[in-house]
Amino acid sequence: MTVKFLTAIALAAFVLTSSARIYVTTTQGVGPPVPATNVPPAGTVAINGRTLFLRNCAHCHGADAHGDEGPDLHDLGLSDDWIANRIRKGKAGQMTAFAGKLQPAEIDALVGYVESLK
């Protein structure tokens, strides 16, 4: 009888503590901090943009962005909005659209990287 009694108490304690955690995290907004995954630390946009470029764009534009299958991206003289739009939508038969693959912050990082190419 003692084992059954202790098992019942342990089970009840488990259920109560589990319920309390769920209540605290869902109704009061208290819980462990969640790091922002799409926001790069200040000063790292060009680095992240280059990393994204190497992973997604270099196979067509070349690792140095001087062009290969795709055009040279140095000194484009285009607006950030134009570049971001081209990355998002691509160009039929010439460039893949990345809107479904990259997050807006990643596209912004790529635009920053492309704009840094002189």
Side-chain angles (χ1 to χ4, degrees):
M1 175 158 162
T2 305
V3 173
K4 287 182 182 178
F5 180 71
L6 291 175
T7 304
I9 288 176
L11 181 60
F14 174 76
V15 169
L16 289 173
T17 57
S18 296
S19 297
R21 280 192 210 122
I22 292 168
Y23 174 78
V24 168
T25 57
T26 58
T27 62
Q28 295 180 358
V30 177
V34 178
T37 56
N38 290 332
V39 181
T44 61
V45 172
I47 294 169
N48 289 337
R50 176 161 171 71
T51 301
L52 288 163
F53 179 86
L54 291 172
R55 289 182 187 156
N56 297 283
C57 312
H59 62 280
C60 289
H61 294 282
D64 59 0
H66 279 291
D68 192 14
E69 290 177 35
D72 185 341
L73 298 178
H74 291 79
D75 296 317
L76 288 176
L78 301 168
S79 73
D80 291 355
D81 289 337
W82 192 96
I83 296 168
N85 191 48
R86 177 56 56 97
I87 293 168
R88 274 192 301 276
K89 294 181 180 179
K91 186 172 182 181
Q94 295 182 13
M95 182 176 157
T96 302
F98 287 91
K101 184 175 182 182
L102 298 175
Q103 298 296 316
E106 292 172 318
I107 292 173
D108 291 343
L110 275 172
V111 169
Y113 176 70
V114 170
E115 284 294 311
S116 75
L117 298 172
K118 303 292 176 205

